[in-house]
Amino acid sequence: MTASSRLPADQPSPARLSARALTTGSVAGLVLLLPTVVLAWVVVLASERGSRCLTYGEQCSRVPGDALWACFWASAALGVLALAWPRTRWAPARCAAVVLQWGAQLTLGALILAGA
């Protein structure tokens, strides 16, 4: 092995970099879950339809509350699952968990905003 073909000791390997990116994506999703929900509800309640629903109970969203809760808990559970999985093994499964976590979180925000 030549000196130029070896990686310097201070550079992370591609597998470690991928594991670090998945961990960062999962943590970012977990940290942003509640702000996403709160911001979406603020936007909905600031609209005329949202304030009318809040005040008079008219023109409320037809999105079922169970769907919102399912997306919320699925996003939280998938984020925790991606963090709990071993870092170096099953990288494709961790990647799928992070992608599904973000998909559930964005779906949750879209469903809340659909009620506006």
Side-chain angles (χ1 to χ4, degrees):
M1 185 184 304
T2 64
S4 63
S5 66
R6 286 184 280 166
L7 289 174
D10 59 342
Q11 281 190 338
S13 68
R16 283 198 177 270
L17 190 60
S18 173
R20 184 177 299 150
L22 290 174
T23 301
T24 302
S26 178
V27 168
L30 288 172
V31 168
L32 293 174
L33 181 59
L34 285 178
T36 300
V37 172
V38 169
L39 183 63
W41 277 115
V42 165
V43 169
V44 168
L45 294 176
S47 70
E48 180 182 345
R49 184 175 175 184
S51 60
R52 190 165 198 75
C53 175
L54 187 64
T55 306
Y56 303 113
E58 300 172 350
Q59 299 179 353
C60 294
S61 173
R62 293 190 180 138
V63 176
D66 292 340
L68 299 177
W69 283 111
C71 287
F72 179 84
W73 289 116
S75 178
L78 287 165
V80 170
L81 181 66
L83 287 177
W85 248 326
R87 304 274 187 257
T88 55
R89 293 186 312 180
W90 302 322
R94 285 187 74 216
C95 182
V98 172
V99 168
L100 289 173
Q101 172 194 6
W102 277 96
Q105 185 168 337
L106 294 174
T107 301
L108 173 62
L111 285 174
I112 293 171
L113 291 173

